[in-house]
Amino acid sequence: MSLSKTTLGPFELYTIETGDFRLDGGAMFGVVPKTLWSRQLPADDKNRIPMTMRCLLIKSKNTGKVYLIDNGAGTKFNEKMENIYQLDQDSKNLQNSFEEHGFSFDDVTDIIFTHLHFDHCGGTSFYDNDDKLALTFPNATYHVVKSHWENATDPNAREKASFLPENINPIKESGKLNLVDKNHKYEEGLSGLVVNGHTIGQQLPKIEANDDTLVFVADLVPTHVHVPLPWVMGYDMYPVQTLSEKNEFLKQAAENNWKLYLEHDSEKEIIQVQEKDGRFYVSQSLTLNNV
């Protein structure tokens, strides 16, 4: 596994690959017919499409902080759940990614959660040799948007299966939870842009330096195939709101040449978009190495 990295102003950026998995293609594309989405992402015999869990490590030269954005599904799944999602962490995993970049889990000072669905926060904790939950990043403060935390700890019936107690409780009991407001500024050049269509209070970390902008787009645009406006996930709690948020976000991204860091795309790491005749399309595909 060869991982990418770059420097953007005072920030050193490192790709963190935490594993691959598969999700139902119909759920990933909502009302879009399979005849359309399967041309770009062919499904397996169980109608699942390939996905990845790509996180981002940020080291700030200004503050010395080491931020980790999300941390994948973790290792707490039993065999049944691993088979359902075809979870594969043999080569891509947190440990290998950190080691390749020369970091340890102890180095992380802050974890910025986009949201707390299992494939974004499961790596926060693990079962130790005594089968007790332990924290993977013992020195980290956990940042969650307040409205999202309220939603995750008292979820609706539809979303409940994505907020697993074994993921949420260690965060709650850590004593290191920091609830932030929307558009929170972590430091100069690093902030969180909040959207509410996929789940209440999802934050998209935004890095700005030297007239360049990189946005970690999480589940607003999970893959490059989701760039067209109507291609919205069936998993989204409020799909019409996602449509509106996506339109506004992609307009800004196109006008300002933002780079969009994709968390779940198994093929593309970073994209840029353009707009033509009211339609958005991928204009360029990059990695951190050539940002």
Side-chain angles (χ1 to χ4, degrees), residues 132-204:
K132 294 181 179 179
L133 284 170
L135 295 175
T136 308
F137 308 96
N139 301 318
T141 297
Y142 307 112
H143 303 282
V144 182
V145 172
K146 183 179 179 182
S147 60
H148 181 69
W149 181 256
E150 292 169 351
N151 182 54
T153 52
D154 186 22
N156 60 66
R158 184 165 175 244
E159 203 171 4
K160 188 174 183 179
S162 291
F163 294 124
L164 304 180
E166 60 268 31
N167 291 336
I168 305 296
N169 290 340
I171 296 171
K172 182 187 298 186
E173 297 164 3
S174 69
K176 298 179 179 181
L177 174 63
N178 180 42
L179 299 180
V180 302
D181 294 324
K182 65 178 182 179
N183 306 326
H184 179 73
K185 184 175 180 180
Y186 292 94
E187 64 174 85
E188 191 65 38
L190 177 61
S191 58
L193 174 67
V194 171
V195 289
N196 297 290
H198 175 62
T199 184
I200 294 294
Q202 178 184 203
Q203 66 173 329
L204 313 180

Side-chain angles (χ1 to χ4, degrees), residues 193-241:
L193 174 67
V194 171
V195 289
N196 297 290
H198 175 62
T199 184
I200 294 294
Q202 178 184 203
Q203 66 173 329
L204 313 180
K206 184 180 181 184
I207 303 161
E208 301 172 275
N210 300 337
D211 297 321
D212 209 351
T213 299
L214 177 76
V215 184
F216 189 101
V217 291
D219 281 349
L220 179 65
V221 187
T223 76
H224 74 281
V225 183
H226 288 85
V227 167
L229 287 179
W231 294 48
V232 171
M233 289 189 289
Y235 291 116
D236 287 9
M237 293 299 104
Y238 309 100
V240 174
Q241 186 165 353

Side-chain angles (χ1 to χ4, degrees), residues 89-101:
Q89 297 176 313
D90 288 343
S91 58
K92 292 181 180 179
N93 58 61
L94 270 174
Q95 185 73 49
N96 289 353
S97 292
F98 267 69
E99 288 178 355
E100 179 169 334
H101 287 311

